[in-house]
Amino acid sequence: MIKYLKGDNFVEEVSNGVVLVDFYADWCGPCKMMGEILETMEDVNILKVNTDEYTELALNYGIMSIPTLILFKEGVEVDKLIGLQSKTDITEFIEKNK
């Protein structure tokens, strides 16, 4: 399920279970391609964070390049992937960190 961050509830959104956070921007070509891949994924909670709207949040998590995926487990950052990834790579990333 894909949700878009709205407001200041980031901590609440990532605090339950495993959540894959996609830091992206609307103008970013690789981010758009990543978004299409993420839309095909099932059985994973995905939170999309627009770095243009939530610049401070992106800085807090050290986002220097987009797209960046960060996996959270019960609100704790577990691992990070930077750059465009394949569906297989994303699935393996999630599975190894569950």
Side-chain angles (χ1 to χ4, degrees):
M1 180 176 95
I2 295 179
K3 290 174 90 174
Y4 287 81
L5 183 64
K6 301 288 184 206
D8 295 330
N9 61 338
F10 181 81
V11 172
E12 179 183 316
E13 291 286 350
V14 300
S15 63
N16 293 319
V18 175
V19 180
L20 183 66
V21 179
D22 175 24
F23 287 89
Y24 77 100
D26 291 331
W27 51 264
C28 168
C31 297
K32 291 177 184 177
M33 290 187 280
M34 180 84 86
E36 292 172 6
I37 293 167
L38 294 176
E39 287 175 10
T40 68
M41 301 195 68
E42 299 174 4
D43 301 327
V44 61
N45 291 320
I46 299 168
L47 178 65
K48 294 184 69 74
V49 176
N50 186 323
T51 57
D52 289 335
E53 292 178 27
Y54 297 97
T55 307
E56 189 171 317
L57 185 61
L59 291 172
N60 287 345
Y61 285 96
I63 306 303
M64 303 296 279
S65 177
I66 51 174
T68 293
L69 299 176
I70 299 181
L71 193 68
F72 288 83
K73 188 173 183 180
E74 305 301 334
V76 177
E77 181 180 335
V78 177
D79 205 351
K80 184 184 290 190
L81 280 176
I82 300 170
L84 181 61
Q85 306 291 322
S86 70
K87 184 174 182 177
T88 301
D89 288 341
I90 297 167
T91 302
E92 290 174 0
F93 171 73
I94 294 167
E95 288 302 314
K96 80 171 187 170
N97 289 298
K98 270 190 173 178

XYZ file of all heavy atoms in Angstrom:
778
model
N 0.840 -1.176 0.000
C 0.000 0.000 0.000
C 0.892 1.249 0.000
O 1.825 1.354 0.786
C -0.891 -0.015 1.239
C -1.813 1.181 1.312
S -2.925 1.097 2.711
C -1.991 2.053 3.880
N 0.596 2.181 -0.878
C 1.385 3.416 -0.979
C 0.602 4.570 -0.358
O -0.568 4.763 -0.659
C 1.731 3.747 -2.442
C 2.650 2.675 -3.013
C 2.393 5.119 -2.539
C 3.046 2.881 -4.460
N 1.284 5.291 0.524
C 0.724 6.506 1.126
C 1.695 7.640 0.849
O 2.898 7.413 0.745
C 0.583 6.361 2.647
C -0.479 5.398 3.101
C -0.437 5.231 4.602
C -1.333 6.235 5.270
N -1.418 6.009 6.731
N 1.163 8.837 0.769
C 1.995 10.028 0.625
C 1.978 10.773 1.950
O 0.909 10.944 2.541
C 1.465 10.929 -0.494
C 1.724 10.359 -1.863
C 0.891 9.388 -2.395
C 2.816 10.772 -2.604
C 1.134 8.851 -3.654
C 3.067 10.241 -3.865
C 2.218 9.280 -4.374
O 2.468 8.748 -5.611
N 3.148 11.189 2.412
C 3.224 11.930 3.666
C 2.453 13.233 3.530
O 2.650 13.995 2.598
C 4.688 12.220 4.025
C 4.897 12.940 5.355
C 4.425 12.068 6.514
C 6.360 13.300 5.548
N 1.557 13.446 4.463
C 0.767 14.685 4.534
C 0.877 15.206 5.952
O 0.403 14.570 6.885
C -0.715 14.414 4.205
C -0.956 13.813 2.845
C -0.728 14.804 1.743
C -1.080 14.215 0.397
N -0.367 14.812 -0.697
N 1.565 16.308 6.134
C 1.674 16.889 7.464
C 2.901 16.410 8.218
O 3.857 15.905 7.633
N 2.819 16.548 9.524
C 3.968 16.262 10.388
C 3.847 14.924 11.111
O 4.247 14.794 12.265
C 4.129 17.385 11.418
C 4.481 18.710 10.759
O 5.130 18.682 9.700
O 4.092 19.751 11.301
N 3.295 13.914 10.446
C 3.068 12.634 11.111
C 4.046 11.548 10.664
O 3.737 10.369 10.717
C 1.628 12.177 10.874
C 1.316 11.972 9.403
O 1.985 12.517 8.533
N 0.297 11.185 9.125
N 5.257 11.934 10.238
C 6.228 10.966 9.741
C 6.532 9.891 10.785
O 6.484 8.697 10.475
C 7.527 11.663 9.317
C 8.557 10.709 8.786
C 8.495 10.267 7.483
C 9.594 10.251 9.588
C 9.438 9.374 6.972
C 10.540 9.369 9.104
C 10.458 8.928 7.794
N 6.826 10.297 12.000
C 7.186 9.332 13.053
C 6.044 8.343 13.273
O 6.271 7.131 13.392
C 7.561 10.062 14.363
C 7.749 9.080 15.496
C 8.824 10.895 14.165
N 4.835 8.845 13.288
C 3.661 7.982 13.448
C 3.544 6.993 12.290
O 3.252 5.813 12.485
C 2.407 8.853 13.529
C 1.117 8.091 13.682
C -0.081 9.030 13.671
O -0.023 10.090 14.344
O -1.058 8.705 12.982
N 3.784 7.468 11.068
C 3.643 6.629 9.876
C 4.646 5.474 9.835
O 4.347 4.415 9.299
C 3.783 7.469 8.600
C 2.649 8.434 8.361
C 1.359 7.756 7.903
O 1.359 6.559 7.584
O 0.341 8.464 7.883
N 5.845 5.674 10.365
C 6.876 4.630 10.289
C 6.994 3.809 11.571
O 7.829 2.922 11.651
C 8.267 5.210 9.919
C 8.220 5.891 8.567
C 8.798 6.141 10.986
N 6.149 4.077 12.559
C 6.329 3.455 13.872
C 5.755 2.051 13.998
O 6.099 1.332 14.924
C 5.745 4.346 14.968
O 4.354 4.474 14.786
N 4.915 1.628 13.082
C 4.289 0.296 13.202
C 4.690 -0.625 12.071
O 4.418 -0.339 10.908
C 2.761 0.431 13.223
C 2.270 1.126 14.469
O 2.767 0.876 15.556
N 1.316 2.020 14.305
N 5.362 -1.709 12.428
C 5.743 -2.702 11.433
C 6.894 -2.255 10.554
O 7.701 -1.414 10.923
N 6.943 -2.835 9.354
C 7.985 -2.532 8.387
C 7.418 -1.550 7.366
O 6.372 -1.807 6.767
C 8.473 -3.819 7.688
C 9.476 -3.500 6.599
C 9.069 -4.782 8.703
N 8.103 -0.422 7.184
C 7.656 0.610 6.255
C 8.835 1.009 5.374
O 9.912 1.341 5.872
C 7.118 1.861 6.990
C 6.664 2.918 5.992
C 5.985 1.490 7.944
N 8.613 0.969 4.067
C 9.612 1.411 3.102
C 9.302 2.860 2.750
O 8.215 3.172 2.282
C 9.557 0.538 1.848
C 10.597 0.834 0.772
C 12.004 0.508 1.291
C 10.295 0.035 -0.477
N 10.260 3.755 3.010
C 10.053 5.172 2.737
C 10.828 5.543 1.475
O 12.026 5.286 1.369
C 10.512 6.049 3.924
C 10.305 7.523 3.604
C 9.747 5.664 5.194
N 10.101 6.129 0.531
C 10.674 6.564 -0.742
C 10.809 8.080 -0.718
O 9.814 8.792 -0.747
C 9.758 6.119 -1.883
C 10.207 6.624 -3.254
O 11.411 6.917 -3.409
O 9.350 6.709 -4.153
N 12.036 8.573 -0.617
C 12.304 10.011 -0.698
C 12.480 10.343 -2.176
O 13.362 9.784 -2.833
C 13.560 10.371 0.095
C 13.357 10.326 1.587
C 13.573 9.155 2.290
C 12.955 11.463 2.274
C 13.392 9.115 3.667
C 12.772 11.429 3.646
C 12.987 10.253 4.349
N 11.640 11.240 -2.696
C 11.595 11.519 -4.124
C 11.297 13.000 -4.363
O 11.035 13.756 -3.430
C 10.492 10.667 -4.778
C 9.111 11.223 -4.510
C 8.448 11.977 -5.475
C 8.485 11.043 -3.274
C 7.198 12.520 -5.220
C 7.248 11.581 -3.020
C 6.604 12.322 -3.995
O 5.377 12.878 -3.730
N 11.300 13.388 -5.637
C 10.832 14.711 -6.066
C 10.067 14.534 -7.367
O 10.389 13.647 -8.168
C 11.996 15.673 -6.244
N 9.071 15.374 -7.579
C 8.233 15.264 -8.772
C 9.014 15.467 -10.073
O 8.676 14.885 -11.094
C 7.083 16.278 -8.717
C 6.064 15.930 -7.641
O 5.896 14.732 -7.334
O 5.431 16.866 -7.114
N 10.061 16.271 -10.044
C 10.828 16.600 -11.239
C 11.896 15.562 -11.579
O 12.536 15.635 -12.622
C 11.501 17.969 -11.081
C 12.263 18.095 -9.800
C 11.813 18.650 -8.637
C 13.583 17.619 -9.519
N 12.768 18.562 -7.655
C 13.875 17.932 -8.174
C 14.555 16.967 -10.273
C 15.088 17.602 -7.566
C 15.763 16.640 -9.661
C 16.017 16.960 -8.320
N 12.090 14.591 -10.731
C 13.181 13.612 -10.841
C 12.767 12.414 -11.709
O 11.880 11.647 -11.328
C 13.571 13.174 -9.424
S 14.654 11.748 -9.327
N 13.416 12.263 -12.871
C 13.114 11.152 -13.776
C 13.284 9.779 -13.141
O 12.370 8.941 -13.202
N 14.450 9.482 -12.530
C 14.623 8.182 -11.871
C 13.594 7.948 -10.753
O 13.179 6.816 -10.529
C 16.047 8.243 -11.313
C 16.751 9.207 -12.212
C 15.716 10.241 -12.563
N 13.172 9.027 -10.082
C 12.157 8.895 -9.038
C 10.827 8.432 -9.636
O 10.121 7.616 -9.039
C 11.942 10.223 -8.312
S 13.393 10.838 -7.434
N 10.491 8.955 -10.804
C 9.252 8.546 -11.478
C 9.312 7.071 -11.859
O 8.335 6.336 -11.684
C 9.009 9.409 -12.717
C 8.651 10.840 -12.382
C 8.494 11.674 -13.630
C 8.241 13.131 -13.233
N 8.149 14.008 -14.386
N 10.474 6.633 -12.361
C 10.633 5.219 -12.707
C 10.544 4.344 -11.459
O 9.913 3.286 -11.483
C 11.959 4.999 -13.431
C 11.979 5.592 -14.825
S 13.457 5.185 -15.769
C 14.633 6.357 -15.092
N 11.146 4.800 -10.366
C 11.078 4.057 -9.106
C 9.631 3.986 -8.628
O 9.177 2.938 -8.147
C 11.950 4.721 -8.044
C 11.925 4.004 -6.707
S 13.071 2.641 -6.614
C 14.509 3.550 -6.119
N 8.902 5.087 -8.761
C 7.503 5.110 -8.359
C 6.678 4.074 -9.098
O 5.822 3.405 -8.505
N 6.938 3.911 -10.399
C 6.226 2.902 -11.191
C 6.538 1.495 -10.688
O 5.664 0.636 -10.640
C 6.592 3.035 -12.669
C 6.058 4.318 -13.295
C 6.576 4.556 -14.703
O 7.269 3.672 -15.264
O 6.297 5.646 -15.248
N 7.783 1.260 -10.311
C 8.168 -0.046 -9.766
C 7.474 -0.270 -8.430
O 6.911 -1.346 -8.181
C 9.705 -0.154 -9.612
C 10.362 -0.147 -10.992
C 10.098 -1.392 -8.817
C 11.871 0.054 -10.973
N 7.489 0.733 -7.555
C 6.885 0.590 -6.233
C 5.385 0.331 -6.323
O 4.823 -0.385 -5.486
C 7.171 1.821 -5.378
C 8.637 2.051 -5.012
C 8.800 3.359 -4.257
C 9.205 0.891 -4.211
N 4.726 0.893 -7.339
C 3.291 0.673 -7.507
C 2.958 -0.783 -7.778
O 1.843 -1.229 -7.520
C 2.748 1.549 -8.641
C 2.650 3.008 -8.266
C 2.225 3.890 -9.418
O 1.811 3.359 -10.477
O 2.299 5.119 -9.266
N 3.918 -1.564 -8.283
C 3.672 -2.976 -8.581
C 3.941 -3.879 -7.382
O 3.681 -5.079 -7.453
C 4.559 -3.456 -9.755
O 5.929 -3.463 -9.346
C 4.378 -2.577 -10.971
N 4.459 -3.308 -6.316
C 4.841 -4.125 -5.159
C 3.648 -4.346 -4.238
O 2.869 -3.440 -3.990
C 6.007 -3.472 -4.415
C 7.202 -3.295 -5.318
S 8.721 -2.949 -4.467
C 9.004 -4.504 -3.650
N 3.555 -5.563 -3.748
C 2.472 -5.931 -2.838
C 3.075 -6.346 -1.504
O 4.264 -6.625 -1.402
C 1.658 -7.070 -3.440
C 1.003 -6.700 -4.762
C 0.316 -7.878 -5.428
O 0.280 -8.971 -4.834
O -0.181 -7.694 -6.550
N 2.237 -6.392 -0.499
C 2.641 -6.875 0.832
C 3.734 -6.038 1.474
O 4.540 -6.546 2.249
C 3.082 -8.340 0.777
C 1.978 -9.255 0.266
O 0.799 -8.967 0.544
O 2.292 -10.237 -0.415
N 3.800 -4.755 1.129
C 4.747 -3.860 1.784
C 4.090 -2.491 1.928
O 3.399 -2.029 1.022
C 6.085 -3.759 1.009
C 5.890 -3.210 -0.382
C 7.106 -2.937 1.770
N 4.276 -1.892 3.095
C 3.780 -0.539 3.321
C 4.826 0.440 2.818
O 5.981 0.380 3.229
C 3.509 -0.297 4.806
C 2.324 -1.107 5.291
O 1.332 -1.241 4.593
N 2.440 -1.663 6.482
N 4.404 1.340 1.931
C 5.314 2.310 1.324
C 4.821 3.709 1.658
O 3.644 4.015 1.480
C 5.385 2.122 -0.199
C 5.917 0.721 -0.528
C 6.254 3.204 -0.837
C 5.770 0.320 -1.980
N 5.730 4.535 2.142
C 5.437 5.932 2.425
C 6.309 6.778 1.507
O 7.537 6.663 1.533
C 5.731 6.268 3.893
C 5.495 7.719 4.298
C 4.011 8.082 4.185
C 5.988 7.961 5.715
N 5.687 7.610 0.688
C 6.425 8.482 -0.223
C 6.559 9.860 0.405
O 5.583 10.417 0.892
C 5.715 8.553 -1.575
C 5.747 7.191 -2.295
C 5.154 7.233 -3.670
C 5.938 8.008 -4.660
N 7.166 7.397 -5.145
N 7.796 10.379 0.406
C 8.090 11.683 0.996
C 8.707 12.565 -0.081
O 9.797 12.272 -0.588
C 9.050 11.548 2.200
C 9.413 12.917 2.739
C 8.441 10.675 3.285
N 8.008 13.638 -0.423
C 8.494 14.593 -1.419
C 9.557 15.476 -0.758
O 9.264 16.237 0.155
C 7.330 15.428 -1.944
C 7.733 16.327 -3.080
O 8.830 16.886 -3.107
N 6.841 16.487 -4.030
N 10.791 15.377 -1.240
C 11.894 16.113 -0.606
C 11.781 17.621 -0.816
O 12.362 18.383 -0.051
C 13.255 15.619 -1.129
O 13.301 15.745 -2.549
C 13.498 14.171 -0.731
N 11.049 18.053 -1.835
C 10.836 19.491 -2.034
C 9.879 20.054 -0.989
O 10.012 21.199 -0.563
C 10.300 19.779 -3.443
C 11.355 19.561 -4.515
O 12.553 19.656 -4.192
O 10.973 19.289 -5.667
N 8.917 19.245 -0.559
C 7.953 19.676 0.455
C 8.475 19.469 1.872
O 8.131 20.214 2.785
C 6.639 18.906 0.295
C 5.886 19.236 -0.968
C 4.623 18.410 -1.108
O 4.058 17.980 -0.081
O 4.202 18.189 -2.254
N 9.275 18.430 2.054
C 9.761 18.065 3.391
C 11.291 18.076 3.416
O 11.945 17.082 3.735
C 9.215 16.686 3.789
C 7.711 16.673 3.890
C 6.922 16.237 2.832
C 7.085 17.144 5.035
C 5.542 16.250 2.913
C 5.698 17.162 5.135
C 4.938 16.718 4.070
O 3.570 16.745 4.160
N 11.851 19.221 3.084
C 13.302 19.380 2.995
C 13.996 19.067 4.320
O 15.011 18.366 4.350
C 13.646 20.821 2.554
O 12.938 21.112 1.363
C 15.134 20.979 2.322
N 13.455 19.567 5.411
C 14.082 19.349 6.715
C 14.094 17.865 7.086
O 15.082 17.358 7.607
C 13.351 20.157 7.796
C 14.083 20.153 9.120
C 13.483 21.120 10.120
O 13.137 22.257 9.734
O 13.365 20.721 11.295
N 13.018 17.179 6.793
C 12.946 15.745 7.056
C 13.999 15.001 6.227
O 14.700 14.131 6.745
C 11.541 15.221 6.738
C 11.254 13.774 7.058
C 11.417 13.496 8.549
C 9.850 13.404 6.603
N 14.132 15.375 4.968
C 15.146 14.751 4.107
C 16.550 15.002 4.657
O 17.382 14.092 4.686
C 15.016 15.278 2.682
N 16.811 16.213 5.103
C 18.115 16.528 5.690
C 18.366 15.721 6.960
O 19.476 15.248 7.196
C 18.220 18.024 5.985
C 18.290 18.943 4.769
C 18.198 20.407 5.197
C 19.557 18.689 3.966
N 17.338 15.556 7.775
C 17.466 14.790 9.021
C 17.884 13.346 8.761
O 18.546 12.726 9.599
C 16.154 14.798 9.812
C 15.875 16.126 10.462
O 16.754 16.979 10.569
N 14.641 16.329 10.877
N 17.491 12.801 7.607
C 17.829 11.419 7.271
C 18.993 11.329 6.289
O 19.248 10.271 5.726
C 16.588 10.670 6.763
C 15.678 10.328 7.914
C 14.604 11.138 8.237
C 15.936 9.227 8.723
C 13.790 10.859 9.319
C 15.134 8.936 9.805
C 14.064 9.759 10.100
O 13.281 9.471 11.183
N 19.689 12.429 6.090
C 20.897 12.423 5.284
C 20.664 12.175 3.806
O 21.530 11.619 3.131
N 19.510 12.589 3.297
C 19.203 12.375 1.892
C 20.021 13.368 1.060
O 19.792 14.562 1.118
C 17.693 12.551 1.607
C 16.845 11.652 2.524
C 17.401 12.287 0.136
C 17.144 10.181 2.451
N 20.971 12.850 0.301
C 21.833 13.677 -0.537
C 21.544 13.439 -2.010
O 21.985 14.195 -2.862
C 23.304 13.352 -0.258
C 23.695 13.532 1.196
S 23.571 15.219 1.736
C 25.101 15.848 1.122
N 20.841 12.349 -2.307
C 20.556 11.953 -3.672
C 19.188 11.286 -3.698
O 18.815 10.584 -2.746
C 21.639 10.974 -4.130
O 21.387 10.510 -5.425
N 18.443 11.531 -4.765
C 17.138 10.886 -4.881
C 17.068 10.129 -6.196
O 17.751 10.515 -7.149
C 15.978 11.906 -4.767
C 16.186 13.068 -5.718
C 15.786 12.347 -3.348
C 15.038 14.042 -5.779
N 16.324 9.037 -6.239
C 15.527 8.498 -5.146
C 16.390 7.787 -4.098
O 17.434 7.228 -4.418
C 14.609 7.492 -5.848
C 15.382 7.050 -7.049
C 16.186 8.248 -7.474
N 15.927 7.851 -2.876
C 16.527 7.091 -1.781
C 15.412 6.349 -1.066
O 14.378 6.927 -0.747
C 17.258 8.005 -0.784
O 18.394 8.581 -1.427
C 17.725 7.234 0.438
N 15.633 5.061 -0.821
C 14.697 4.242 -0.064
C 15.300 3.964 1.305
O 16.460 3.552 1.401
C 14.440 2.905 -0.765
C 13.838 2.954 -2.157
C 13.755 1.544 -2.745
C 12.462 3.597 -2.128
N 14.510 4.184 2.351
C 14.942 3.827 3.703
C 13.900 2.876 4.272
O 12.693 3.147 4.202
C 15.086 5.057 4.615
C 16.140 6.015 4.062
C 15.459 4.615 6.036
C 16.362 7.260 4.920
N 14.366 1.777 4.826
C 13.472 0.803 5.437
C 13.446 1.031 6.941
O 14.505 1.096 7.578
C 13.945 -0.618 5.124
C 12.941 -1.720 5.449
C 11.743 -1.635 4.510
C 13.598 -3.080 5.336
N 12.243 1.183 7.466
C 12.040 1.352 8.904
C 11.342 0.122 9.457
O 10.460 -0.442 8.815
C 11.166 2.585 9.189
C 11.864 3.893 8.960
C 11.940 4.447 7.698
C 12.450 4.581 10.018
C 12.580 5.655 7.475
C 13.094 5.784 9.816
C 13.161 6.323 8.537
N 11.745 -0.264 10.654
C 11.107 -1.377 11.354
C 10.769 -0.879 12.754
O 11.672 -0.522 13.516
C 12.048 -2.575 11.409
C 11.417 -3.834 11.930
C 12.378 -4.993 11.775
C 11.750 -6.282 12.229
N 12.676 -7.400 12.076
N 9.475 -0.810 13.034
C 8.984 -0.311 14.321
C 9.568 1.068 14.630
O 9.959 1.357 15.761
C 9.293 -1.299 15.448
C 8.776 -2.704 15.232
C 7.269 -2.821 15.036
O 6.516 -1.946 15.517
O 6.832 -3.778 14.384
N 9.674 1.912 13.604
C 10.122 3.286 13.789
C 11.624 3.508 13.769
O 12.084 4.637 13.885
N 12.394 2.435 13.601
C 13.848 2.533 13.606
C 14.376 2.316 12.187
O 13.987 1.355 11.518
C 14.470 1.490 14.562
C 15.996 1.533 14.507
C 13.967 1.702 15.974
N 15.274 3.203 11.746
C 15.888 3.040 10.426
C 16.750 1.788 10.427
O 17.626 1.628 11.270
C 16.739 4.265 10.092
C 17.390 4.188 8.741
C 18.233 5.412 8.403
O 17.985 6.505 8.941
O 19.150 5.249 7.580
N 16.489 0.903 9.470
C 17.189 -0.374 9.399
C 18.252 -0.382 8.302
O 19.363 -0.856 8.502
C 16.188 -1.531 9.160
C 16.899 -2.855 9.018
C 15.157 -1.590 10.271
N 17.903 0.143 7.123
C 18.843 0.118 6.001
C 18.405 1.142 4.955
O 17.287 1.658 5.016
C 18.899 -1.279 5.388
C 20.212 -1.573 4.674
O 21.028 -0.639 4.494
O 20.425 -2.737 4.288
N 19.290 1.401 3.997
C 19.053 2.449 2.996
C 19.564 1.993 1.636
O 20.603 1.349 1.549
C 19.811 3.698 3.452
C 19.629 4.925 2.610
C 20.506 6.076 3.091
C 20.062 6.636 4.402
N 20.743 7.877 4.785
N 18.808 2.334 0.588
C 19.224 2.124 -0.796
C 19.193 3.469 -1.508
O 18.207 4.198 -1.388
C 18.261 1.187 -1.531
C 18.372 -0.307 -1.325
C 17.255 -1.024 -2.074
C 19.715 -0.827 -1.790
N 20.226 3.782 -2.262
C 20.293 5.063 -2.963
C 20.309 4.812 -4.466
O 21.037 3.945 -4.951
C 21.543 5.847 -2.532
C 21.496 6.121 -1.033
C 21.677 7.143 -3.322
C 22.766 6.679 -0.443
N 19.497 5.578 -5.185
C 19.434 5.467 -6.633
C 18.336 4.537 -7.099
O 17.691 3.851 -6.308
N 18.119 4.534 -8.398
C 17.086 3.696 -9.011
C 17.436 2.231 -8.811
O 18.565 1.813 -9.059
C 16.978 4.028 -10.502
C 15.938 3.266 -11.300
C 14.535 3.520 -10.755
C 16.015 3.654 -12.762
N 16.455 1.454 -8.348
C 16.648 0.033 -8.069
C 15.631 -0.788 -8.855
O 14.547 -0.306 -9.171
C 16.449 -0.246 -6.570
C 17.284 0.594 -5.646
C 18.759 0.278 -5.710
O 19.146 -0.877 -5.846
N 19.594 1.304 -5.619
N 15.966 -2.034 -9.102
C 15.017 -2.938 -9.751
C 14.044 -3.479 -8.707
O 14.314 -3.430 -7.505
C 15.758 -4.103 -10.421
O 16.305 -4.966 -9.428
N 12.927 -4.011 -9.181
C 11.951 -4.609 -8.266
C 12.595 -5.760 -7.490
O 12.365 -5.914 -6.289
C 10.722 -5.099 -9.038
C 9.641 -5.646 -8.145
C 8.395 -5.993 -8.911
C 7.320 -6.500 -7.970
N 6.068 -6.787 -8.690
N 13.424 -6.545 -8.164
C 14.116 -7.662 -7.507
C 15.020 -7.152 -6.388
O 15.014 -7.707 -5.280
C 14.950 -8.456 -8.531
O 14.070 -8.945 -9.558
C 15.672 -9.611 -7.883
N 15.794 -6.104 -6.667
C 16.697 -5.551 -5.646
C 15.911 -5.013 -4.451
O 16.319 -5.200 -3.303
C 17.563 -4.439 -6.230
C 18.631 -4.964 -7.182
O 18.947 -6.171 -7.128
O 19.135 -4.166 -7.984
N 14.786 -4.355 -4.715
C 13.961 -3.807 -3.627
C 13.378 -4.933 -2.794
O 13.392 -4.880 -1.564
C 12.858 -2.893 -4.183
C 13.468 -1.680 -4.893
C 11.919 -2.440 -3.062
C 12.479 -0.885 -5.734
N 12.881 -5.965 -3.459
C 12.297 -7.105 -2.740
C 13.346 -7.774 -1.866
O 13.081 -8.090 -0.695
C 11.692 -8.110 -3.741
O 10.706 -7.443 -4.527
C 11.065 -9.302 -3.034
N 14.533 -7.999 -2.410
C 15.625 -8.620 -1.621
C 16.030 -7.725 -0.449
O 16.296 -8.222 0.652
C 16.827 -8.899 -2.512
C 16.594 -10.023 -3.503
C 17.730 -10.206 -4.495
O 18.730 -9.456 -4.444
O 17.597 -11.096 -5.350
N 16.079 -6.430 -0.678
C 16.408 -5.448 0.364
C 15.415 -5.545 1.527
O 15.800 -5.571 2.698
C 16.383 -4.056 -0.283
C 16.481 -2.900 0.672
C 17.675 -2.593 1.291
C 15.376 -2.097 0.917
C 17.765 -1.495 2.148
C 15.459 -1.009 1.769
C 16.659 -0.717 2.383
N 14.142 -5.627 1.207
C 13.105 -5.727 2.237
C 13.217 -7.050 2.978
O 13.192 -7.101 4.207
C 11.691 -5.546 1.629
C 11.529 -4.118 1.090
C 10.608 -5.878 2.646
C 10.311 -3.919 0.214
N 13.336 -8.139 2.229
C 13.378 -9.478 2.835
C 14.566 -9.649 3.777
O 14.434 -10.243 4.841
C 13.400 -10.563 1.750
C 12.084 -10.732 1.029
C 10.930 -11.059 1.948
O 11.070 -11.933 2.838
O 9.865 -10.437 1.788
N 15.734 -9.142 3.404
C 16.914 -9.339 4.255
C 16.855 -8.500 5.530
O 17.576 -8.767 6.478
C 18.208 -9.040 3.486
C 18.559 -7.588 3.346
C 19.933 -7.390 2.772
C 20.277 -5.914 2.837
N 21.629 -5.593 2.538
N 15.985 -7.487 5.545
C 15.918 -6.590 6.703
C 14.639 -6.729 7.527
O 14.437 -5.961 8.460
C 16.047 -5.143 6.230
C 17.450 -4.820 5.767
O 18.388 -4.888 6.543
N 17.602 -4.530 4.496
N 13.788 -7.667 7.192
C 12.510 -7.812 7.923
C 12.741 -8.231 9.350
O 13.567 -8.943 9.720
C 11.598 -8.822 7.237
C 10.714 -8.163 6.215
C 9.679 -9.136 5.751
C 8.676 -8.420 4.859
N 7.677 -9.329 4.338
